[in-house]
Amino acid sequence: MKKIIIANWKMQLSFKDSLILAKELKKKIKNPKNDTVICPGFLAIAPIVDILQGGDLLLGAQNCALKNRGALTGETSPATLNELGVKYVIIGHSERRLILKEDPDLINAKTKAALAAKLIPIICVGETLNERELGQTKKVLLAQVKSALKEVNIKNSSGIIIAYEPLWAIGTGEPIIPFEAEAIHIFLKAEAAKILGKKIRVVYGGSVNGSNAAQFLQEKNIDGLLIGSASLNVQEFASIVKL
Ligand code: PGA
């Protein structure tokens, strides 16, 4: 199966700069070896759909609502994202869990809504530094995976992705050692397969850049990368996609 490289632009760019970056990436990245997904902020998504026409980049969102229609002021429907041409959606990023207080039930509901709208959820899980130091990494990850995938059915879907993002590695310049990440990916894949009855892709995120991406992609069970700051640099992101 192809690996997948996902760019998480977070809230780092203005509307104008988002469109400029999308245009430059479309020009620079042709026939990528791996699936390549960019996840801009919501307001930039519609114009970027037009920019990416005829190119090789896929589109993702950074979040979605917990249902597809209804009285839900300020939220963005997964069905509407699908209508625009979005294929993927990041769910439960640690910044949303921590800063916006997203809880496991909400993440589970968003996962189901995304699947119902034919989007591929990219569910983020990860332990804090404290949990890691206490030897609780697997326990924490398992709880996050179990709650996110509770009563989730992927039989008639295009699949689901888990992104392993240790919180201590996000934005710190200190990624996990690829060998250690590989072991955690094996664990996550096995646990997800027990719940879903199907093998899914697990990707790594946290301080991935142009210098270390190849080491992660060489690991057999690391199916791709979720990249924050390094995805904002055209040259660097394009060089990772080519690996
Ligand atoms: P980073 O962010 O690559 O800047 O560490 C990754 C993420 O939060 O998805």
Side-chain angles (χ1 to χ4, degrees):
M1 195 189 269
K2 272 193 195 172
K3 298 212 176 193
I4 181 165
I5 313 293
I6 306 154
N8 177 9
W9 292 0
K10 307 194 180 183
M11 203 179 67
Q12 304 285 16
L13 301 175
S14 69
F15 177 74
K16 230 166 121 183
D17 287 343
S18 301
L19 306 199
I20 292 170
L21 181 57
K23 280 180 199 156
E24 289 181 353
L25 289 171
K26 183 193 174 189
K27 222 173 7 174
K28 186 99 188 148
I29 300 172
K30 305 245 187 252
N31 286 316
K33 192 168 109 199
N34 302 306
D35 291 334
T36 307
V37 183
I38 59 171
C39 303
F42 280 133
L43 292 175
I45 283 181
I48 289 179
V49 168
D50 292 336
I51 290 170
L52 297 186
Q53 288 293 331
D56 297 314
L57 299 175
L58 301 165
L59 201 49
Q62 298 174 18
N63 177 37
C64 68
L66 79 166
K67 57 180 183 174
N68 279 302
R69 289 286 163 242
L72 214 47
T73 304
E75 286 296 290
T76 302
S77 161
T80 306
L81 291 169
N82 172 280
E83 187 185 348
L84 285 179
V86 171
K87 300 278 180 239
Y88 295 83
V89 58
I90 298 171
I91 292 175
H93 190 283
S94 60
E95 288 150 12
R96 299 197 63 86
R97 290 182 194 251
L98 289 175
I99 305 167
L100 297 155
K101 311 283 178 237
E102 289 201 353
D103 68 16
D105 288 344
L106 181 59
I107 290 162
N108 177 245
K110 288 184 177 197
T111 302
K112 289 174 182 161
L115 286 166
K118 306 272 175 242
L119 299 180
I120 299 178
I122 302 163
I123 301 167
C124 299
V125 298
E127 82 286 3
T128 63
L129 185 58
N130 189 38
E131 290 160 345
R132 172 179 165 83
E133 286 172 352
L134 290 170
Q136 295 174 344
T137 298
K138 283 191 176 172
K139 188 177 134 209
V140 168
L141 295 177
L142 185 57
Q144 290 175 353
V145 167
K146 277 191 172 162
S147 57
L149 300 182
K150 194 173 160 206
E151 291 160 11
V152 164
N153 184 345
I154 57 165
K155 283 216 177 70
N156 297 314
S157 78
S158 308
I160 201 164
I161 294 172
I162 288 179
Y164 170 52
E165 295 207 305
L167 271 62
W168 50 271
I170 295 177
T172 59
E174 286 184 38
I176 194 170
I177 297 165
F179 177 71
E180 194 184 341
E182 168 77 356
I184 294 176
H185 280 63
I186 292 170
F187 169 74
L188 288 170
K189 277 188 184 181
E191 294 302 329
K194 275 188 219 162
I195 300 168
L196 298 169
K198 219 171 161 180
K199 264 186 135 184
I200 62 163
R201 296 200 275 193
V202 180
V203 304
Y204 171 74
S207 295
V208 174
N209 58 37
S211 319
N212 61 29
Q215 297 163 36
F216 287 104
L217 291 174
Q218 270 158 24
E219 297 291 345
K220 188 165 164 264
N221 289 283
I222 299 182
D223 299 312
L225 302 167
L226 177 53
I227 306 175
S229 54
S231 74
L232 302 172
N233 180 309
V234 180
Q235 307 298 335
E236 191 169 13
F237 187 66
S239 75
I240 296 171
V241 165
K242 281 199 194 112
L243 290 169

